[in-house]
Amino acid sequence: MTHPPLFQSELPGIELRARGKVRDVYAAGDYLVIVASDRLSAFDYVLPTPIPDKGRVLTQLTIFWLELLRELVPNHFVTAKVDEYPAPFRPFRDQLEGRSMLVRRASMVNIECVARGYLSGSGWKEYKTTGAVCGIPLPAGLRESDKLPEPLFTPSTKATSGHDENIAFEVAAKDVGTDVADRVRALTLAVYRRAADYAETKGIIIADTKFEFGFVGDELVLADELLTPDSSRFWPREQWKPGGAQPSFDKQYVRDYLEEIRWNKQPPAPALPDDVIARTSAKYREAYRILSGRDL
């Protein structure tokens, strides 16, 4: 099988503001255009093989959630219709259609806002060592993947490279200010609860997720990616069995393969085999279909 080239948007004459592991961000006056590629990162490295439709899933699922949650919290989304983008973007419709959003510029709050409803990932590792997550004490005897008594707000740093690091709320408050920290904590937990309740009706557990907030003028808004398989742990409700790791709608196939081949997690990152690419792409599309009720 011949793999498609690694998608990377190229919009000559338009200012590229940032190129992350997955997204390309372009200047558009008072706005930005965010383009989600099919790039996939694992263990902090971008892999050389793309995951077909991944960028479209990330964009369309984010838009779905932003619309669903709009009455709970304002957001930065303007439109995904390329015809409504500033004129210089319209000739690049082929690159933008279905995988991009026009958004308002926001001054971002400099922490990742993580909500945890279940004990997994770095939270589970910390709990095993300290009995707490981000300094929040938890009952003794919890198992991996157990539902927590109440959802937790566990902020983390925004790392420009490498891993984000979990921090205590007091550290976050010192960084962004107590008022802002209090506001994003309340919003994070409210949005998580609303989204988790909705997802449960579709047979999906949102074990944890991370949000980003920013200010447009004086208005605090939800921004960037939202409740996607890249930013969340989605578990099939009917297969949930505490006491170990859970099957998930994300890049777990990729992580498992990389562990299996004993990659040393140093560059260059290895290419993925066809079956891992196909299964990962299918999982992303399935998450979108189940949650939105629509095919991609």
Side-chain angles (χ1 to χ4, degrees):
M1 177 177 174
T2 301
H3 300 299
L6 193 61
F7 176 86
Q8 182 166 286
S9 61
E10 298 293 346
L11 312 184
I14 297 177
E15 179 191 352
L16 177 67
R17 289 292 305 273
R19 177 162 277 152
K21 292 174 184 172
V22 175
R23 283 170 183 74
D24 304 329
V25 181
Y26 292 90
D30 292 334
Y31 303 93
L32 298 171
V33 170
I34 301 176
V35 186
S37 74
D38 292 338
R39 298 191 294 270
L40 183 141
S41 70
F43 304 114
D44 298 319
Y45 290 98
V46 175
L47 304 185
T49 34
I51 303 299
D53 290 329
K54 178 174 177 280
R56 294 172 64 218
V57 167
L58 298 184
T59 299
Q60 297 306 314
L61 197 50
T62 292
I63 293 168
F64 167 78
W65 285 114
L66 288 172
E67 296 292 350
L68 187 72
L69 299 164
R70 186 181 291 276
E71 64 185 40
L72 191 63
V73 56
N75 62 66
H76 69 160
F77 177 65
V78 178
T79 184
K81 297 176 181 176
V82 178
D83 285 342
E84 297 175 4
Y85 289 11
F89 287 87
R90 295 173 203 163
F92 304 107
R93 176 185 303 278
D94 288 351
Q95 296 184 55
L96 300 173
E97 198 76 64
R99 63 168 71 245
S100 68
M101 304 186 299
L102 181 72
V103 302
R104 295 183 290 166
R105 285 183 189 253
S107 176
M108 300 302 290
V109 176
N110 194 37
I111 54 172
E112 298 274 6
C113 296
V114 180
R116 299 178 187 273
Y118 293 74
L119 193 55
S120 186
S122 63
W124 166 240
K125 290 178 183 175
E126 187 178 342
Y127 173 78
K128 285 192 295 180
T129 304
T130 68
V133 177
C134 285
I136 303 169
L138 292 174
L142 294 178
R143 300 162 295 174
E144 182 178 8
S145 305
D146 261 334
K147 186 172 184 177
L148 296 169
E150 290 289 334
L152 303 180
F153 174 68
T154 61
S156 70
T157 60
K158 284 187 181 181
T160 52
S161 62
H163 287 294
D164 298 334
E165 291 185 13
N166 294 342
I167 54 176
F169 177 78
E170 292 74 20
V171 176
K174 185 177 286 188
D175 186 13
V176 303
T178 301
D179 177 62
V180 171
D182 283 338
R183 291 173 69 186
V184 297
R185 175 170 60 183
L187 283 171
T188 294
L189 293 173
V191 171
Y192 171 75
R193 286 190 176 99
R194 177 75 63 86
D197 287 348
Y198 170 83
E200 283 267 3
T201 70
K202 302 295 185 178
I204 288 181
I205 289 171
I206 303 177
D208 54 47
T209 190
K210 64 180 179 180
F211 304 127
E212 294 202 45
F213 293 91
F215 284 93
V216 177
D218 294 330
E219 184 179 44
L220 183 62
V221 303
L222 196 54
D224 202 33
E225 181 181 4
L226 183 63
L227 293 158
T228 74
D230 268 18
S231 65
S232 318
R233 281 187 176 87
F234 294 150
W235 297 339
R237 179 72 179 82
E238 63 183 23
Q239 296 179 49
W240 175 54
K241 188 178 180 181
Q246 307 296 307
S248 57
F249 291 92
D250 62 11
K251 51 191 173 187
Q252 195 59 48
Y253 284 125
V254 173
R255 295 191 198 99
D256 291 347
Y257 168 76
L258 295 174
E259 295 284 14
E260 185 182 303
I261 64 170
R262 293 183 168 82
W263 175 45
N264 64 3
K265 299 171 184 136
Q266 297 297 318
L272 300 175
D274 296 346
D275 64 319
V276 173
I277 293 170
R279 286 190 294 172
T280 302
S281 180
K283 275 294 178 189
Y284 275 78
R285 292 194 304 272
E286 185 182 8
Y288 175 75
R289 178 183 57 78
I290 292 172
L291 287 166
S292 73
R294 300 189 288 262
D295 288 320
L296 192 63

